[in-house]
Structures are given as structure tokens and as C-alpha cells.
Amino acid sequence: LIIYIMKNTTTLKGKKILISAGPTREPIDPIRFISNRSSGKMGYALAESAVEEGAEVTLISGPVNIKEPKKLNFISVSTADSMFKAVLHHVIGKDIFISVAAVSDYSLKNPYKKKLKKNNKDSLISLDMEENKDILEAVANLTNRPYLVGFAAETDNLKKNARKKLENKKLDLIVANDVSRSDIGFDSDFNEAILIDSQEEVFVPKTNKNRLAREIINHISMKIKE
Ligand code: PMT
């Protein structure tokens, strides 16, 4: 007699998840922009892992060099402001929001309409910048807020700074990663993280981003059942 045990492997069946990934680009003039080193790998790995666990996934992505993943709703954005608007629109009705995007903290007040020309008289130029709105903070203040997961990209005092972001941004969970190391974090295929909430800290040692994504998704699916 052979008994087949059917394991229920889809832990997020029926759940709606919004994920942001990649960098944003803040224009200086029609040719140039200010951006950061995010490749999108971490956010895309989380999106694929959530799809594998049976979730209905919306991925809002800044400009990256990764192929558009299948089986999810894909939205492409460029500036921090367009990411803000897309998140605030698509977060309605979602159970979970994971903000992996490396959103620019500042953008130019008035981007130049024409290409900035070299000025031989004065080798210094200054750019007048203003702070961008915080996406997580805005989502945290919604009346029907989803389970809110932020990332903390830190170069020093990893745990302390991540905990500050968890509290200031009123998050349910924060994933702290060290972006000062060249073997993990930005652009690497590998990462290492501490998952921090008000109850506990879980350390996930260096592994590839797909594995880490699975650990994070499992952690979240356990947390939302608690
Ligand atoms: O893309 P990869 O190359 O794979 O690299 C992955 C990563 C290092 C980019 C990723 O793991 C990561 O740490 N993402 C968060 C990057 C970031 O902007 O961190 P932060 O500590 O500056 O911001 C904290 C949180 O606030 C983040 O969840 C961020 O999405 C959010 N934020 C930031 C600014 C803003 N205006 N609105 C926000 O919601």
C-alpha cells in the first residue's frame, strides 16, 4: 500500500502582495540623472518567491536589467515620485507590502529642461534638491494598512539604525542588510540579513538572494498567521 501525503506547500495562497524593487532615477537634465546601486535582484527574488507560495503579486519596479517576471502584475516606474504614486494606488486591498526599492531620498527642485552645458568660467555647479516623500510612512498611515515590511540598507550600526526605521516608519517587520560589504547587498547575487520586529531578531547568514527571499517570505507568512 502506497500512501501519498499531499503537502500543502503554498503558504500564501489567496494573499495579495505588493513589492517594490530597484532604484529610482531623479532627472538633472534630459540626459543625466541621480540614482543608486540597486540592481533589483533582491526585490525580484522576493516577488518570485511570493508567486511560488501562491500569492497574487504586484511588482512595482524602477529601471533594472532583469527580465520581467511571469505570473505577476508588473508596473514599471522611474522617479521616486512615480514610485510613490504607483505604490499608493496599488496598495489598496493588499495584505502585505514589502518595500525593497532603493528610493532616492532627494530629487532636484527644478530639473533643467535643456542639457546642462560645460561652463569654462566656473568649474563648480550646485544642484538645488528637496527631500522626497517617504512611501512607507504614507502607507503606514492608511486606515486599512497592510502588513508592512521595510528594508534597512545600512553602512554602520546595522541593528540600531534598522530598529529606528522599524519604529519611526511604524513597520511590522524590517529586514536589515549591510550595504558597506561588497560581497553582499547592492548588485551582488548574495545577501545576509537580520529580520527584526517588536518580538524577535532572526539572523539569516550569507546565502544567495533567492534563498534569502524564501526565508523572508516564510517568515512573513508565519507572522501574518500569528
Ligand atoms: O537591488 P539589489 O542590488 O538586489 O540590492 C538590494 C538592496 C540592498 C537595495 C535591498 O536589500 C535594500 O536594502 N533595499 C532598501 C534600500 C533603501 O532605500 O533602504 P533605506 O534604509 O534608505 O530605506 C528604508 C526603507 O524605506 C526601505 O524599505 C525603502 O524602500 C523605504 N523608503 C525609502 C525612501 C522613501 N522615500 N520612501 C521609502 O518608502
Side-chain angles (χ1 to χ4, degrees), residues 20-23 36-44 64 66 80 83-84 97-106 132-138 149-154 165 169 171 174-179 184-188 190-191 209 212:
S20 72
N36 58 61
R37 292 179 47 216
S38 172
S39 64
K41 285 175 190 168
M42 191 69 245
Y44 278 58
V64 298
I66 309 177
M83 185 166 279
F84 181 94
F97 171 44
I98 314 176
S99 186
V100 198
V103 186
S104 262
D105 288 323
Y106 294 92
N132 291 326
K133 285 179 287 187
D134 196 282
I135 301 172
L136 275 171
E137 243 174 72
V149 184
F151 268 66
E154 305 296 341
K165 284 177 183 163
K169 297 186 188 227
L171 308 177
I174 195 148
V175 180
N177 54 187
D178 185 341
V179 290
I184 58 167
F186 283 124
D187 205 29
S188 168
F190 299 89
N191 208 357
K209 282 180 177 169
L212 175 61

Side-chain angles (χ1 to χ4, degrees), residues 43-77:
Y44 278 58
L46 278 157
E48 287 190 357
S49 182
V51 168
E52 276 165 23
E53 290 302 325
E56 209 177 285
V57 180
T58 299
L59 174 64
I60 299 178
S61 175
V64 298
N65 288 316
I66 309 177
K67 229 174 79 199
E68 186 181 317
K70 295 200 175 78
K71 300 186 197 158
L72 55 70
N73 179 20
F74 183 80
I75 291 131
S76 159
V77 296

